[in-house]
């Protein structure tokens, strides 16, 4: 791969749907994460989703192998929407925003 900012191909199927049901929501290997991904290529605290200004954001937590949203490396917090593709190392997830808190946000479904 010549450009490390891209790690996603349009035809790639996600391994899992990742249902986000609370905020903040931390993803990583650590037992205290809200969602555990038990692979050595995933950092202990890899990334987090949080709400600020009625918008859901994704932040990389200085992970070793990077966090990617819809194929783009997350270097600074990025806005997340229902159905976005999240990849941690080589593990792919489709984000499902499914909570009463999300539905109360102005753009919630």
């Amino acid at each position: 791969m010549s450009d490390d900012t891209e790690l996603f191909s349009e035809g790639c199927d996600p391994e899992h749907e990742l249902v986000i049901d609370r905020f903040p929501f931390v993803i990583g290997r650590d037992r205290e994460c809200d969602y555990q991904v038990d692979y050595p290529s995933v950092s202990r605290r890899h990334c987090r989703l949080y709400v600020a200004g009625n918008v859901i954001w994704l932040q990389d937590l200085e992970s070793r192998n990077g966090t990617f949203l819809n194929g783009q490396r997350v270097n600074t917090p990025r806005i997340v929407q229902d159905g976005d593709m999240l990849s941690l190392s080589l593990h792919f997830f489709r984000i499902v925003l499914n909570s009463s808190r999300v539905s109360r946000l102005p753009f919630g479904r």
Side-chain angles (χ1 to χ4, degrees), residues 56-101:
I56 300 171
W57 296 88
L58 173 67
Q59 175 185 23
D60 181 74
L61 298 176
E62 299 181 15
S63 64
R64 182 180 63 219
N65 292 312
T67 300
F68 294 78
L69 183 66
N70 298 323
Q72 299 297 314
R73 186 186 269 295
V74 176
N75 294 316
T76 60
R78 300 258 318 267
I79 294 175
V80 175
Q81 296 181 1
D82 189 50
D84 280 351
M85 291 296 302
L86 171 67
S87 51
L88 313 177
S89 181
L90 297 175
H91 309 286
F92 297 88
F93 304 90
R94 181 171 308 283
I95 294 174
V96 176
L97 302 175
N98 185 19
S99 77
S100 60
R101 182 160 184 191

Side-chain angles (χ1 to χ4, degrees), residues 18-23 82 96-103:
L18 179 59
V19 178
I20 309 300
D21 57 2
R22 62 190 167 278
F23 298 97
D82 189 50
V96 176
L97 302 175
N98 185 19
S99 77
S100 60
R101 182 160 184 191
V102 171
S103 66

